Amino acid sequence: MGYMCDFCGEQRSIVYCRSDAASLCLSCDRNVHSANALSRRHSRTLVCERCNLQPAFVRCIEEKISLCPNCDWLGHGGSNTGSTHKRQAVSCYSGCPSAAELSTIWPFFLDFPLVGDSKCEQIMGSMSINEVSRDSQGAQGKKNIQDASVAVGVTNIQNVDKSTAWTGSSMLPYDTKLQNIELPAASTCAGSPKLSCFGAKGQTVCEDDSFYENFNMDEVDLSIENYDELFGAALDNPEKLFENDDIDGLFGMEISGADSNCQDAHLMEGSSMGRINGIQPACSTAASADSMMSCKTEPNICFARQAHSSLSFSGLTGESSAGDYQDCGASSLLLMGEPPWCPPCPESSNLASSRSNAVMRYKEKKKTRKFEKKVRYASRKARADVRRRVKGRFVKAGDAYDYDPMTPTRSY
DNA sequence: GCTTGGAATCGAACCACATTAAATA
DNA sequence: AGTATTTAATGTGGTTCGATTCCAA
């Protein structure tokens, strides 16, 4: 990977598709992601203009550059002057938005050198969403409209409250700073500033006020029963994704304020999809299988650092074993302390102690937590529940047994 | 700081057989 | 094409046991 489009290798890469793990130029992005309904769902964002490897999650207004969390940290996290730069959250989009629509999502979009003079512009500018939808007729076309409307509806930057632009170190943008991040207005729930949500499904989440009315990090766990839940009903009922208790247990953060709910609920949503590389702070809604699977292939330790003790990561089974955390790449760092690039800071000792306390609390809770097994066939369970056993093993009917679930007596 | 041994924890394996799905007549 | 029969695979829970981790000496 590098500066060039992974697909055509000719144009400079502009956007990053996590699902495809590819950096694409605008024309290829459109071509690739207009192929079918599934690909249209891919959530894309700008590619980091510094490393050209990771998706960007903020744009430095001062430097006019989009940055991934790592590069953002490197550029703004220290004590240099960059730490005062104003930055703006970079939203994701899906569907096949036109250049104009992308510029609506990203007001800085026209800053890109390729926009306006390349064939990308020709393609992007000449095609409207309606045209795309007309090209692919019927329901497919309607889907395109939906996708595109999502892309546009996600972000109406013109409504952004400029006063919320944030500056300062990116060390803890999610933890303590995100509430001040300049987020697209439309990405927040209508009528409720509590939860930032991005994309269509996120909006669905937001519409359910009950979801975050009782949203207390202390009660949150990332429990995903199975893929069906994850990709199906759970998305319609987000509460199913959060079942009990680990977040504060692991990191010792207890957040009760509405603003905190907002920022962390957003993070939670991302992490609940197993998306550790939460450098997609603005695209938590894709909830697609591919994005979830990217968890293991694209560990992003930066996010772990930035999440800074505010997240836990759960495995697909809902059992948060240590291995699960390790699987997610970033997680191990959360448990092991500061990442190697973390500079010494006066808070470090406090952070270390609070983290160790948090880990202890997490372990305690984990001990007492009950994991419910999902029984696929009740009939089989019913039979197993009445079968006689010897040392836990099933025995042939009529044979001697040492355990009878019906009558806990021995036959010999 | 390093080693050692016991305790604690974890996860896979085992068992029989009704049920389910697939293949065949 | 639809039905009946046969074959193979699956899943269910309590217990055991080997492997791993933890912790104090």
Side-chain angles (χ1 to χ4, degrees):
Chain A
M1 288 200 284
Y3 294 85
M4 307 310 288
C5 169
D6 288 338
F7 193 77
C8 67
E10 297 175 356
Q11 300 282 343
R12 178 191 165 189
S13 57
I14 299 291
V15 300
Y16 184 88
C17 174
R18 179 177 308 282
S19 302
D20 296 327
S23 303
L24 302 169
C25 66
L26 294 177
S27 59
C28 289
D29 173 54
R30 170 169 287 277
N31 291 337
V32 168
H33 292 106
S34 63
N36 55 58
L38 288 178
S39 61
R40 266 187 292 275
R41 294 181 189 176
H42 288 182
S43 181
R44 285 100 73 197
T45 188
L46 292 170
V47 68
C48 173
E49 294 177 74
R50 187 154 290 170
C51 67
N52 289 282
L53 295 174
Q54 296 286 338
F57 92 119
V58 294
R59 181 164 181 87
C60 176
I61 298 173
E62 315 284 341
E63 302 177 55
K64 292 186 177 180
I65 188 171
S66 304
L67 298 169
C68 68
N70 194 29
C71 293
D72 178 51
W73 156 245
L74 292 175
H76 300 110
S79 57
N80 56 23
T81 56
S83 62
T84 61
H85 287 180
K86 286 187 177 181
R87 278 158 285 163
Q88 186 177 43
V90 175
S91 299
C92 294
Y93 69 95
S94 59
C96 301
S98 66
E101 288 158 345
L102 282 175
S103 65
T104 303
I105 301 171
W106 303 317
F108 45 81
F109 182 68
L110 294 177
D111 294 344
F112 286 88
L114 288 182
V115 177
D117 62 355
S118 69
K119 64 180 180 184
C120 294
E121 161 66 9
Q122 294 170 13
I123 296 174
M124 298 291 293
S126 62
M127 291 188 73
S128 70
I129 292 165
N130 290 340
E131 286 170 343
V132 175
S133 63
R134 251 184 271 124
D135 290 344
S136 42
Q137 302 164 352
Q140 188 83 345
K142 291 179 181 177
K143 176 59 182 172
N144 286 336
I145 295 174
Q146 278 187 328
D147 286 341
S149 64
V150 166
V152 176
V154 159
T155 314
N156 183 356
I157 212 75
Q158 294 170 346
N159 294 332
V160 169
D161 180 0
K162 298 297 181 184
S163 66
T164 61
W166 56 284
T167 62
S169 167
S170 64
M171 279 182 65
L172 310 174
Y174 293 107
D175 189 9
T176 58
K177 299 286 198 314
L178 192 64
Q179 56 192 5
N180 294 325
I181 196 170
E182 185 171 312
L183 292 173
S187 67
T188 56
C189 312
S192 173
K194 294 176 182 175
L195 175 62
S196 294
C197 52
F198 303 82
K201 286 174 180 174
Q203 285 178 321
T204 305
V205 169
C206 297
E207 287 166 8
D208 184 4
D209 284 350
S210 63
F211 171 51
Y212 43 75
E213 273 180 5
N214 299 318
F215 197 96
N216 186 330
M217 294 300 289
D218 195 28
E219 297 302 318
V220 166
D221 184 18
L222 308 178
S223 178
I224 302 168
E225 291 294 330
N226 54 34
Y227 290 93
D228 291 341
E229 259 189 29
L230 181 61
F231 302 124
L235 295 175
D236 295 326
N237 183 12
E239 295 175 64
K240 294 187 70 174
L241 291 176
F242 312 111
E243 289 191 355
N244 49 43
D245 58 10
D246 275 345
I247 293 298
D248 72 300
L250 181 57
F251 301 105
M253 279 192 64
E254 295 186 3
I255 301 167
S256 55
D259 288 340
S260 299
N261 282 349
C262 180
Q263 70 185 50
D264 285 285
H266 170 212
L267 292 171
M268 283 297 305
E269 187 184 1
S271 64
S272 71
M273 298 309 162
R275 186 179 303 153
I276 304 312
N277 34 353
I279 25 194
Q280 289 189 326
C283 52
S284 57
T285 60
S288 58
D290 44 19
S291 65
M292 194 185 76
M293 294 310 170
S294 69
C295 164
K296 292 188 178 182
T297 58
E298 301 176 69
N300 190 307
I301 49 186
C302 313
F303 179 66
R305 177 65 186 91
Q306 291 175 337
H308 179 62
S309 309
S310 63
L311 285 179
S312 72
F313 305 102
S314 183
L316 298 181
T317 62
E319 300 187 16
S320 307
S321 66
D324 293 333
Y325 293 109
Q326 290 165 1
D327 282 347
C328 289
S331 52
S332 58
L333 290 166
L334 294 171
L335 298 175
M336 293 171 60
E338 299 293 340
W341 63 85
C342 178
C345 63
E347 305 169 347
S348 59
S349 59
N350 289 338
L351 290 175
S353 61
S354 64
R355 178 175 289 110
S356 61
N357 290 336
V359 170
M360 285 183 61
R361 292 172 59 194
Y362 164 71
K363 287 181 177 176
E364 286 300 314
K365 284 194 174 185
K366 188 179 176 182
K367 277 184 184 176
T368 59
R369 183 165 56 180
K370 286 188 264 185
F371 297 112
E372 302 212 353
K373 182 180 177 181
K374 189 114 180 177
V375 176
R376 291 176 60 186
Y377 299 102
S379 59
R380 292 178 178 179
K381 172 177 170 53
R383 172 157 185 82
D385 285 340
V386 301
R387 295 190 69 166
R388 294 167 174 169
R389 313 159 193 268
V390 172
K391 291 183 178 179
R393 298 180 178 184
F394 298 129
V395 297
K396 292 181 180 178
D399 283 5
Y401 57 91
D402 64 5
Y403 174 73
D404 184 353
M406 303 301 288
T407 58
T409 57
R410 295 175 185 273
S411 64
Y412 55 92

Tab-separated table of all heavy atoms in Angstrom, chain A residues 106-158:
chain	number	residue	atom	x	y	z
A	106	TRP	N	-17.765	16.309	3.772
A	106	TRP	CA	-16.460	16.851	4.160
A	106	TRP	C	-16.290	18.216	3.497
A	106	TRP	O	-15.933	18.297	2.318
A	106	TRP	CB	-15.339	15.932	3.687
A	106	TRP	CG	-15.436	14.535	4.190
A	106	TRP	CD1	-15.762	14.132	5.456
A	106	TRP	CD2	-15.196	13.328	3.443
A	106	TRP	NE1	-15.735	12.766	5.546
A	106	TRP	CE2	-15.386	12.238	4.326
A	106	TRP	CE3	-14.825	13.058	2.139
A	106	TRP	CZ2	-15.231	10.922	3.928
A	106	TRP	CZ3	-14.665	11.744	1.747
A	106	TRP	CH2	-14.864	10.692	2.633
A	107	PRO	N	-16.500	19.270	4.199
A	107	PRO	CA	-16.378	20.588	3.595
A	107	PRO	C	-14.988	20.859	3.055
A	107	PRO	O	-14.803	21.707	2.191
A	107	PRO	CB	-16.716	21.538	4.738
A	107	PRO	CG	-16.741	20.744	5.976
A	107	PRO	CD	-16.918	19.314	5.607
A	108	PHE	N	-14.024	20.121	3.568
A	108	PHE	CA	-12.658	20.296	3.097
A	108	PHE	C	-12.369	19.451	1.877
A	108	PHE	O	-11.239	19.397	1.405
A	108	PHE	CB	-11.683	19.917	4.215
A	108	PHE	CG	-12.050	18.637	4.899
A	108	PHE	CD1	-11.720	17.419	4.343
A	108	PHE	CD2	-12.760	18.664	6.086
A	108	PHE	CE1	-12.059	16.243	4.971
A	108	PHE	CE2	-13.104	17.470	6.725
A	108	PHE	CZ	-12.754	16.265	6.166
A	109	PHE	N	-13.394	18.765	1.407
A	109	PHE	CA	-13.186	17.779	0.352
A	109	PHE	C	-12.592	18.413	-0.897
A	109	PHE	O	-11.748	17.827	-1.575
A	109	PHE	CB	-14.521	17.119	0.017
A	109	PHE	CG	-14.411	16.055	-1.030
A	109	PHE	CD1	-13.737	14.872	-0.772
A	109	PHE	CD2	-14.965	16.233	-2.283
A	109	PHE	CE1	-13.638	13.885	-1.738
A	109	PHE	CE2	-14.866	15.249	-3.249
A	109	PHE	CZ	-14.207	14.076	-2.978
A	110	LEU	N	-12.998	19.625	-1.169
A	110	LEU	CA	-12.526	20.274	-2.392
A	110	LEU	C	-11.062	20.681	-2.286
A	110	LEU	O	-10.458	21.096	-3.260
A	110	LEU	CB	-13.410	21.482	-2.703
A	110	LEU	CG	-14.853	21.120	-3.054
A	110	LEU	CD1	-15.676	22.368	-3.280
A	110	LEU	CD2	-14.904	20.196	-4.264
A	111	ASP	N	-10.501	20.554	-1.062
A	111	ASP	CA	-9.081	20.848	-0.922
A	111	ASP	C	-8.223	19.817	-1.631
A	111	ASP	O	-7.068	20.069	-1.941
A	111	ASP	CB	-8.689	20.859	0.568
A	111	ASP	CG	-9.364	22.011	1.289
A	111	ASP	OD1	-9.857	22.916	0.593
A	111	ASP	OD2	-9.405	21.985	2.524
A	112	PHE	N	-8.818	18.648	-1.841
A	112	PHE	CA	-8.006	17.590	-2.415
A	112	PHE	C	-7.615	17.931	-3.842
A	112	PHE	O	-8.437	18.371	-4.632
A	112	PHE	CB	-8.756	16.262	-2.383
A	112	PHE	CG	-8.818	15.695	-1.011
A	112	PHE	CD1	-9.845	16.041	-0.149
A	112	PHE	CD2	-7.836	14.846	-0.556
A	112	PHE	CE1	-9.896	15.530	1.126
A	112	PHE	CE2	-7.885	14.326	0.727
A	112	PHE	CZ	-8.913	14.667	1.572
A	113	PRO	N	-6.368	17.725	-4.129
A	113	PRO	CA	-5.840	18.130	-5.435
A	113	PRO	C	-6.510	17.423	-6.594
A	113	PRO	O	-6.645	17.992	-7.667
A	113	PRO	CB	-4.352	17.763	-5.338
A	113	PRO	CG	-4.268	16.729	-4.265
A	113	PRO	CD	-5.344	17.065	-3.290
A	114	LEU	N	-6.939	16.210	-6.358
A	114	LEU	CA	-7.495	15.463	-7.483
A	114	LEU	C	-8.935	15.835	-7.759
A	114	LEU	O	-9.464	15.534	-8.802
A	114	LEU	CB	-7.397	13.957	-7.200
A	114	LEU	CG	-5.988	13.412	-7.279
A	114	LEU	CD1	-5.992	11.915	-7.031
A	114	LEU	CD2	-5.358	13.735	-8.608
A	115	VAL	N	-9.529	16.457	-6.790
A	115	VAL	CA	-10.915	16.820	-6.996
A	115	VAL	C	-10.963	18.092	-7.805
A	115	VAL	O	-10.494	19.127	-7.395
A	115	VAL	CB	-11.625	17.027	-5.650
A	115	VAL	CG1	-13.042	17.476	-5.882
A	115	VAL	CG2	-11.574	15.743	-4.856
A	116	GLY	N	-11.527	17.982	-8.922
A	116	GLY	CA	-11.665	19.178	-9.729
A	116	GLY	C	-10.922	19.110	-11.034
A	116	GLY	O	-11.246	19.822	-11.965
A	117	ASP	N	-9.918	18.226	-11.102
A	117	ASP	CA	-9.204	18.225	-12.365
A	117	ASP	C	-8.946	16.830	-12.905
A	117	ASP	O	-8.402	16.669	-13.967
A	117	ASP	CB	-7.862	18.944	-12.196
A	117	ASP	CG	-6.992	18.233	-11.191
A	117	ASP	OD1	-7.464	17.252	-10.577
A	117	ASP	OD2	-5.853	18.670	-11.027
A	118	SER	N	-9.320	15.865	-12.200
A	118	SER	CA	-9.003	14.524	-12.656
A	118	SER	C	-10.233	13.862	-13.228
A	118	SER	O	-11.329	14.378	-13.195
A	118	SER	CB	-8.459	13.691	-11.503
A	118	SER	OG	-9.497	13.459	-10.586
A	119	LYS	N	-9.989	12.680	-13.685
A	119	LYS	CA	-11.137	11.931	-14.172
A	119	LYS	C	-12.015	11.503	-13.009
A	119	LYS	O	-13.169	11.164	-13.190
A	119	LYS	CB	-10.693	10.738	-14.993
A	119	LYS	CG	-9.912	9.682	-14.213
A	119	LYS	CD	-9.533	8.563	-15.175
A	119	LYS	CE	-8.749	7.480	-14.442
A	119	LYS	NZ	-8.301	6.433	-15.378
A	120	CYS	N	-11.394	11.495	-11.834
A	120	CYS	CA	-12.218	11.242	-10.656
A	120	CYS	C	-13.332	12.268	-10.600
A	120	CYS	O	-14.487	11.956	-10.364
A	120	CYS	CB	-11.378	11.336	-9.383
A	120	CYS	SG	-10.143	10.061	-9.245
A	121	GLU	N	-12.915	13.503	-10.783
A	121	GLU	CA	-13.899	14.560	-10.710
A	121	GLU	C	-14.935	14.378	-11.798
A	121	GLU	O	-16.124	14.579	-11.586
A	121	GLU	CB	-13.195	15.913	-10.853
A	121	GLU	CG	-14.099	17.054	-11.243
A	121	GLU	CD	-15.107	17.391	-10.168
A	121	GLU	OE1	-15.015	16.867	-9.052
A	121	GLU	OE2	-16.022	18.159	-10.469
A	122	GLN	N	-14.447	13.976	-12.930
A	122	GLN	CA	-15.387	13.820	-14.035
A	122	GLN	C	-16.432	12.770	-13.697
A	122	GLN	O	-17.612	12.944	-13.946
A	122	GLN	CB	-14.628	13.415	-15.304
A	122	GLN	CG	-13.701	14.523	-15.799
A	122	GLN	CD	-12.794	14.007	-16.896
A	122	GLN	OE1	-13.024	12.934	-17.432
A	122	GLN	NE2	-11.771	14.766	-17.231
A	123	ILE	N	-15.938	11.712	-13.120
A	123	ILE	CA	-16.875	10.646	-12.790
A	123	ILE	C	-17.727	11.031	-11.604
A	123	ILE	O	-18.941	10.961	-11.621
A	123	ILE	CB	-16.105	9.350	-12.501
A	123	ILE	CG1	-15.390	8.905	-13.756
A	123	ILE	CG2	-17.040	8.279	-12.017
A	123	ILE	CD1	-14.480	7.720	-13.557
A	124	MET	N	-17.037	11.487	-10.592
A	124	MET	CA	-17.750	11.805	-9.371
A	124	MET	C	-18.706	12.957	-9.589
A	124	MET	O	-19.817	12.967	-9.082
A	124	MET	CB	-16.757	12.188	-8.262
A	124	MET	CG	-15.823	11.086	-7.899
A	124	MET	SD	-16.662	9.731	-7.078
A	124	MET	CE	-17.143	10.519	-5.548
A	125	GLY	N	-18.247	13.927	-10.301
A	125	GLY	CA	-19.072	15.101	-10.458
A	125	GLY	C	-20.216	14.900	-11.414
A	125	GLY	O	-21.272	15.512	-11.265
A	126	SER	N	-19.999	14.062	-12.355
A	126	SER	CA	-21.014	13.920	-13.379
A	126	SER	C	-22.130	12.984	-12.968
A	126	SER	O	-23.199	12.990	-13.540
A	126	SER	CB	-20.380	13.408	-14.675
A	126	SER	OG	-19.819	12.134	-14.437
A	127	MET	N	-21.866	12.179	-11.989
A	127	MET	CA	-22.876	11.212	-11.578
A	127	MET	C	-23.566	11.698	-10.327
A	127	MET	O	-22.935	12.103	-9.372
A	127	MET	CB	-22.251	9.852	-11.317
A	127	MET	CG	-21.746	9.192	-12.570
A	127	MET	SD	-21.220	7.515	-12.251
A	127	MET	CE	-22.768	6.720	-12.030
A	128	SER	N	-24.839	11.645	-10.379
A	128	SER	CA	-25.581	11.933	-9.168
A	128	SER	C	-26.112	10.624	-8.631
A	128	SER	O	-26.109	9.603	-9.298
A	128	SER	CB	-26.740	12.882	-9.466
A	128	SER	OG	-27.717	12.197	-10.210
A	129	ILE	N	-26.559	10.678	-7.434
A	129	ILE	CA	-27.089	9.470	-6.825
A	129	ILE	C	-28.302	8.977	-7.590
A	129	ILE	O	-28.487	7.790	-7.803
A	129	ILE	CB	-27.452	9.764	-5.370
A	129	ILE	CG1	-26.160	10.020	-4.627
A	129	ILE	CG2	-28.218	8.642	-4.760
A	129	ILE	CD1	-26.350	10.658	-3.290
A	130	ASN	N	-29.083	9.898	-8.023
A	130	ASN	CA	-30.272	9.487	-8.747
A	130	ASN	C	-29.892	8.761	-10.023
A	130	ASN	O	-30.548	7.820	-10.441
A	130	ASN	CB	-31.130	10.714	-9.062
A	130	ASN	CG	-31.750	11.263	-7.808
A	130	ASN	OD1	-31.859	10.555	-6.807
A	130	ASN	ND2	-32.122	12.518	-7.847
A	131	GLU	N	-28.818	9.254	-10.619
A	131	GLU	CA	-28.390	8.587	-11.836
A	131	GLU	C	-27.947	7.169	-11.541
A	131	GLU	O	-28.238	6.249	-12.274
A	131	GLU	CB	-27.256	9.384	-12.487
A	131	GLU	CG	-27.726	10.648	-13.145
A	131	GLU	CD	-26.545	11.497	-13.548
A	131	GLU	OE1	-25.450	11.266	-13.050
A	131	GLU	OE2	-26.739	12.392	-14.375
A	132	VAL	N	-27.252	7.058	-10.461
A	132	VAL	CA	-26.794	5.729	-10.094
A	132	VAL	C	-27.986	4.830	-9.857
A	132	VAL	O	-28.030	3.688	-10.299
A	132	VAL	CB	-25.912	5.798	-8.825
A	132	VAL	CG1	-25.557	4.407	-8.385
A	132	VAL	CG2	-24.669	6.616	-9.114
A	133	SER	N	-28.936	5.369	-9.175
A	133	SER	CA	-30.085	4.540	-8.872
A	133	SER	C	-30.854	4.194	-10.124
A	133	SER	O	-31.448	3.133	-10.219
A	133	SER	CB	-30.984	5.277	-7.881
A	133	SER	OG	-31.473	6.463	-8.476
A	134	ARG	N	-30.810	5.102	-11.066
A	134	ARG	CA	-31.505	4.790	-12.306
A	134	ARG	C	-30.769	3.698	-13.068
A	134	ARG	O	-31.353	2.852	-13.708
A	134	ARG	CB	-31.598	6.057	-13.170
A	134	ARG	CG	-33.007	6.607	-13.249
A	134	ARG	CD	-33.062	7.795	-14.172
A	134	ARG	NE	-32.800	9.044	-13.502
A	134	ARG	CZ	-31.863	9.879	-13.845
A	134	ARG	NH1	-31.054	9.599	-14.859
A	134	ARG	NH2	-31.691	10.994	-13.202
A	135	ASP	N	-29.466	3.747	-12.954
A	135	ASP	CA	-28.690	2.737	-13.648
A	135	ASP	C	-29.015	1.341	-13.144
A	135	ASP	O	-29.137	0.399	-13.898
A	135	ASP	CB	-27.182	3.006	-13.457
A	135	ASP	CG	-26.782	4.231	-14.226
A	135	ASP	OD1	-27.569	4.652	-15.105
A	135	ASP	OD2	-25.710	4.768	-13.947
A	136	SER	N	-29.095	1.251	-11.891
A	136	SER	CA	-29.452	-0.049	-11.337
A	136	SER	C	-30.896	0.010	-10.917
A	136	SER	O	-31.238	0.590	-9.914
A	136	SER	CB	-28.555	-0.369	-10.158
A	136	SER	OG	-28.389	0.764	-9.360
A	137	GLN	N	-31.703	-0.611	-11.664
A	137	GLN	CA	-33.120	-0.370	-11.566
A	137	GLN	C	-33.764	-1.060	-10.389
A	137	GLN	O	-33.187	-1.856	-9.700
A	137	GLN	CB	-33.800	-0.852	-12.859
A	137	GLN	CG	-33.219	-0.152	-14.065
A	137	GLN	CD	-33.583	-0.855	-15.345
A	137	GLN	OE1	-34.146	-1.948	-15.307
A	137	GLN	NE2	-33.275	-0.248	-16.460
A	138	GLY	N	-35.032	-0.753	-10.237
A	138	GLY	CA	-35.860	-1.441	-9.270
A	138	GLY	C	-35.402	-1.226	-7.849
A	138	GLY	O	-34.947	-0.155	-7.473
A	139	ALA	N	-35.578	-2.300	-7.112
A	139	ALA	CA	-35.237	-2.239	-5.702
A	139	ALA	C	-33.776	-1.882	-5.512
A	139	ALA	O	-33.403	-1.208	-4.569
A	139	ALA	CB	-35.543	-3.577	-5.029
A	140	GLN	N	-32.996	-2.362	-6.420
A	140	GLN	CA	-31.580	-2.047	-6.323
A	140	GLN	C	-31.380	-0.550	-6.369
A	140	GLN	O	-30.607	0.020	-5.598
A	140	GLN	CB	-30.855	-2.720	-7.494
A	140	GLN	CG	-29.361	-2.630	-7.417
A	140	GLN	CD	-28.804	-3.719	-6.522
A	140	GLN	OE1	-29.537	-4.350	-5.764
A	140	GLN	NE2	-27.533	-3.917	-6.581
A	141	GLY	N	-32.057	0.052	-7.259
A	141	GLY	CA	-31.933	1.483	-7.359
A	141	GLY	C	-32.419	2.184	-6.128
A	141	GLY	O	-31.822	3.150	-5.661
A	142	LYS	N	-33.491	1.681	-5.595
A	142	LYS	CA	-34.004	2.292	-4.373
A	142	LYS	C	-32.994	2.178	-3.261
A	142	LYS	O	-32.830	3.064	-2.451
A	142	LYS	CB	-35.322	1.626	-3.969
A	142	LYS	CG	-36.450	1.948	-4.938
A	142	LYS	CD	-37.723	1.252	-4.518
A	142	LYS	CE	-38.853	1.548	-5.501
A	142	LYS	NZ	-40.076	0.823	-5.159
A	143	LYS	N	-32.323	1.051	-3.276
A	143	LYS	CA	-31.304	0.858	-2.261
A	143	LYS	C	-30.207	1.896	-2.416
A	143	LYS	O	-29.689	2.440	-1.453
A	143	LYS	CB	-30.739	-0.551	-2.372
A	143	LYS	CG	-29.596	-0.833	-1.414
A	143	LYS	CD	-30.042	-0.636	0.020
A	143	LYS	CE	-28.872	-0.867	0.964
A	143	LYS	NZ	-29.209	-0.518	2.332
A	144	ASN	N	-29.875	2.160	-3.653
A	144	ASN	CA	-28.850	3.160	-3.880
A	144	ASN	C	-29.268	4.498	-3.316
A	144	ASN	O	-28.484	5.215	-2.718
A	144	ASN	CB	-28.579	3.300	-5.379
A	144	ASN	CG	-27.803	2.112	-5.890
A	144	ASN	OD1	-27.116	1.453	-5.117
A	144	ASN	ND2	-27.915	1.826	-7.156
A	145	ILE	N	-30.505	4.802	-3.557
A	145	ILE	CA	-30.991	6.069	-3.041
A	145	ILE	C	-30.863	6.097	-1.536
A	145	ILE	O	-30.418	7.058	-0.941
A	145	ILE	CB	-32.446	6.297	-3.469
A	145	ILE	CG1	-32.508	6.436	-4.990
A	145	ILE	CG2	-33.031	7.498	-2.795
A	145	ILE	CD1	-33.896	6.525	-5.532
A	146	GLN	N	-31.227	4.963	-0.964
A	146	GLN	CA	-31.123	4.902	0.480
A	146	GLN	C	-29.695	5.118	0.921
A	146	GLN	O	-29.419	5.901	1.814
A	146	GLN	CB	-31.595	3.528	0.977
A	146	GLN	CG	-33.095	3.445	1.102
A	146	GLN	CD	-33.481	2.143	1.758
A	146	GLN	OE1	-32.780	1.141	1.570
A	146	GLN	NE2	-34.549	2.144	2.500
A	147	ASP	N	-28.810	4.415	0.287
A	147	ASP	CA	-27.423	4.511	0.696
A	147	ASP	C	-26.918	5.926	0.549
A	147	ASP	O	-26.240	6.460	1.411
A	147	ASP	CB	-26.569	3.562	-0.149
A	147	ASP	CG	-26.794	2.131	0.275
A	147	ASP	OD1	-27.289	1.925	1.388
A	147	ASP	OD2	-26.490	1.259	-0.526
A	148	ALA	N	-27.248	6.476	-0.575
A	148	ALA	CA	-26.747	7.805	-0.818
A	148	ALA	C	-27.341	8.789	0.160
A	148	ALA	O	-26.654	9.669	0.670
A	148	ALA	CB	-27.067	8.218	-2.254
A	149	SER	N	-28.592	8.615	0.438
A	149	SER	CA	-29.199	9.536	1.370
A	149	SER	C	-28.568	9.396	2.738
A	149	SER	O	-28.456	10.346	3.488
A	149	SER	CB	-30.696	9.281	1.452
A	149	SER	OG	-30.939	8.001	1.981
A	150	VAL	N	-28.166	8.177	2.984
A	150	VAL	CA	-27.450	7.981	4.235
A	150	VAL	C	-26.181	8.782	4.219
A	150	VAL	O	-25.865	9.508	5.151
A	150	VAL	CB	-27.107	6.482	4.426
A	150	VAL	CG1	-26.093	6.324	5.523
A	150	VAL	CG2	-28.372	5.728	4.733
A	151	ALA	N	-25.472	8.644	3.132
A	151	ALA	CA	-24.188	9.312	3.074
A	151	ALA	C	-24.340	10.808	3.254
A	151	ALA	O	-23.534	11.459	3.916
A	151	ALA	CB	-23.523	9.009	1.734
A	152	VAL	N	-25.368	11.348	2.673
A	152	VAL	CA	-25.548	12.782	2.782
A	152	VAL	C	-26.152	13.127	4.117
A	152	VAL	O	-25.763	14.082	4.765
A	152	VAL	CB	-26.447	13.286	1.648
A	152	VAL	CG1	-26.724	14.766	1.822
A	152	VAL	CG2	-25.791	12.997	0.321
A	153	GLY	N	-27.102	12.310	4.513
A	153	GLY	CA	-27.794	12.631	5.740
A	153	GLY	C	-26.919	12.495	6.965
A	153	GLY	O	-27.171	13.117	7.988
A	154	VAL	N	-25.931	11.698	6.806
A	154	VAL	CA	-25.043	11.498	7.944
A	154	VAL	C	-24.454	12.806	8.415
A	154	VAL	O	-24.325	13.066	9.591
A	154	VAL	CB	-23.916	10.527	7.533
A	154	VAL	CG1	-22.734	10.667	8.445
A	154	VAL	CG2	-24.447	9.120	7.556
A	155	THR	N	-24.119	13.595	7.508
A	155	THR	CA	-23.347	14.760	7.879
A	155	THR	C	-23.862	16.008	7.182
A	155	THR	O	-23.833	16.113	5.979
A	155	THR	CB	-21.875	14.568	7.478
A	155	THR	OG1	-21.481	13.274	7.889
A	155	THR	CG2	-21.025	15.606	8.107
A	156	ASN	N	-24.284	16.890	7.959
A	156	ASN	CA	-24.609	18.186	7.420
A	156	ASN	C	-23.720	19.183	8.115
A	156	ASN	O	-24.048	19.797	9.106
A	156	ASN	CB	-26.082	18.516	7.662
A	156	ASN	CG	-26.442	19.839	7.026
A	156	ASN	OD1	-25.574	20.528	6.486
A	156	ASN	ND2	-27.695	20.188	7.111
A	157	ILE	N	-22.564	19.310	7.558
A	157	ILE	CA	-21.512	20.031	8.257
A	157	ILE	C	-21.861	21.492	8.434
A	157	ILE	O	-21.331	22.168	9.289
A	157	ILE	CB	-20.181	19.851	7.485
A	157	ILE	CG1	-19.027	19.864	8.475
A	157	ILE	CG2	-19.991	20.908	6.443
A	157	ILE	CD1	-18.884	18.624	9.279
A	158	GLN	N	-22.760	21.933	7.620
A	158	GLN	CA	-23.091	23.349	7.721
A	158	GLN	C	-23.770	23.657	9.038
A	158	GLN	O	-23.802	24.795	9.484
A	158	GLN	CB	-24.003	23.745	6.559
A	158	GLN	CG	-23.284	23.648	5.226
A	158	GLN	CD	-24.239	23.807	4.079
A	158	GLN	OE1	-25.451	23.729	4.279
A	158	GLN	NE2	-23.718	24.026	2.904
